[in-house]
Amino acid sequence: MAYVNPKGDFDRDTDYLTDRITADGRDGYPVEPGRYRLVVARACPWANRAIIVRRLLGLEDVLSIGFCGPTHDERSWTFDLDPGGVDPVLGIHYLRDAYDKRIPDYPKGVTVPAIVDVPTGEVVTNDFAQITLDLSTEWTAHHREGAPQLYPQPLRAEIDEVAQRIYTEVNNGVYRCGFAGSQDAYDAAYDRLFTALDWLTERLGKQRYLVGDTITEADVRLFTTLARFDPVYHGHFKCNRSKLTELPVLWAYARDLFQTPGFGDTVDFVQIKAHYYIVHTDINPTRVVPKGPELGGWLTPHGREALGGRPFGDGTPPGPTKPGEEVPAGHRAG
């Protein structure tokens, strides 16, 4: 859902299916345990957010999850990781089928995350930013005991402000670099990205988390880009002023979150690299996937405890990953 404009700038199409699943069902989709399926791909940073939030809030038993494979063609993400290449709940191979069920010949890009209404087989929403906020605010009746407050009411204005800058300058900024269609567009995108990373370095040099003294939605949104920075964005997207490992504050912050239950245990580095290097043939026509970088450093001490903060506030960490949802051992750091 993106294109390069005549000036060479990368533009992301943000016209999503915006129906919401709410506690009162005002859009026609009430929160109901077992009714919906969250469709994701571990490779995708936008989907990785939803995986993390679902796990932190303990929604595994009320909102099922389907994993697409890391690669796709121009038609759709596919369930090629499942036996027979078919999602066991939705009964489809192409995620596009759920989009077409909602809007015949769906004219836009088929994206993840998407939430599908299982009884009808139709996509309800692919509005990735709203999905995680609604998991925090509309699904509260089904949160686990000790679930953290990822979007606390008193901090929402600040979270929204920080998250918006992270989205435009960092989450989308790396894509603006990678898909720039001209030197001028790339140079401007590069400067914007690293200006934002310098701002984050200054902010996180003084506090453990982005907003307040606990993990919030803002941290989730930044983490998924940082986790992909050295494996793909530094080289593949030419975001190469510095590696993450060469930015001491951000590297320590990323390791702190990675080592927090619910974050690093959702990251599949093998799928991440496969997606970017194989799918983006306009950038990498050989489809060769690099062997590096070395990932052991993710598990080294980060020292961020010295800044204080309580990761889960008055809550508790999530328990072990639900069986069948684990990242394969060979795909993780360490």
Side-chain angles (χ1 to χ4, degrees):
M1 297 178 68
Y3 67 95
V4 176
N5 68 26
K7 293 183 178 180
D9 298 308
F10 169 83
D11 289 328
R12 184 177 297 278
D13 183 352
T14 56
D15 185 14
Y16 298 106
L17 295 169
T18 56
D19 286 316
R20 295 172 59 190
I21 300 167
T22 57
D24 64 7
R26 56 187 177 271
D27 284 2
Y29 297 101
V31 170
E32 293 180 17
R35 174 172 171 177
Y36 305 100
R37 188 158 178 82
L38 174 64
V39 178
V40 297
R42 292 193 188 276
C44 171
W46 322 102
N48 196 175
R49 298 176 177 186
I51 300 170
I52 291 170
V53 170
R54 173 180 173 270
R55 175 148 157 63
L56 293 178
L57 299 177
L59 292 170
E60 293 95 332
D61 291 335
V62 298
L63 177 63
S64 71
I65 196 166
F67 293 97
C68 295
T71 61
H72 59 79
D73 58 22
E74 68 280 358
R75 291 170 294 177
S76 179
W77 293 88
T78 58
F79 294 96
D80 48 297
L81 300 176
D82 291 304
V86 174
D87 180 85
V89 172
L90 301 175
I92 56 176
H93 174 64
Y94 292 103
L95 179 57
R96 169 168 288 282
D97 291 346
Y99 279 80
D100 288 344
K101 196 80 178 291
R102 172 73 185 276
I103 300 175
D105 298 318
Y106 183 71
K108 305 178 78 63
V110 172
T111 63
V112 290
I115 298 184
V116 179
D117 181 35
V118 175
T120 63
E122 298 179 1
V123 168
V124 175
T125 179
N126 63 339
D127 187 350
F128 65 86
Q130 192 63 49
I131 284 172
T132 51
L133 296 181
D134 283 344
L135 292 180
S136 280
T137 59
E138 300 291 338
W139 291 70
T140 52
H142 304 287
H143 289 180
R144 66 178 175 87
E145 184 177 355
Q149 296 290 319
L150 298 177
Y151 196 49
Q153 185 72 52
L155 297 178
R156 286 183 187 177
E158 186 177 0
I159 292 170
D160 290 346
E161 180 182 359
V162 171
Q164 180 61 25
R165 186 169 180 182
I166 288 170
Y167 169 71
T168 59
E169 306 305 298
V170 181
N171 301 146
N172 204 43
V174 293
Y175 284 83
R176 199 181 292 114
C177 290
F179 288 104
S182 71
Q183 189 67 50
D184 286 346
Y186 166 75
D187 290 347
Y190 176 101
D191 291 342
R192 282 182 64 178
L193 170 64
F194 282 98
T195 295
L197 292 178
D198 290 343
W199 164 69
L200 288 166
T201 291
E202 182 178 2
R203 185 180 185 95
L204 290 166
K206 298 174 289 189
Q207 59 195 64
R208 189 171 178 185
Y209 303 111
L210 283 167
V211 181
D213 66 351
T214 64
I215 291 166
T216 67
E217 174 81 17
D219 298 294
V220 176
R221 295 187 181 199
L222 178 57
F223 172 77
T224 59
T225 294
L226 295 183
R228 288 157 177 76
F229 201 89
D230 287 6
V232 290
Y233 300 147
H234 178 271
H236 184 57
F237 277 0
K238 307 181 187 72
C239 302
N240 61 354
R241 190 193 78 179
S242 309
K243 295 178 181 176
L244 177 64
T245 55
E246 296 167 346
L247 300 169
V249 170
L250 292 182
W251 176 221
Y253 166 81
R255 299 201 315 278
D256 186 4
L257 290 178
F258 188 90
Q259 295 170 30
T260 300
F263 283 85
D265 52 30
T266 71
V267 176
D268 188 318
F269 287 110
V270 170
Q271 288 197 26
I272 287 168
K273 290 196 297 183
H275 171 72
Y276 284 89
Y277 285 101
I278 293 175
V279 171
H280 299 157
T281 54
D282 49 343
I283 299 175
N284 186 42
T286 65
R287 306 178 82 188
V288 172
V289 179
K291 294 183 70 174
E294 169 58 44
L295 298 171
W298 280 100
L299 302 179
T300 59
H302 52 76
R304 298 280 294 177
E305 303 94 336
L307 292 170
R310 302 172 299 147
F312 298 99
D314 294 329
T316 58
T321 303
K322 185 177 180 180
E325 297 183 7
E326 306 96 336
V327 174
H331 294 202
R332 304 193 301 257

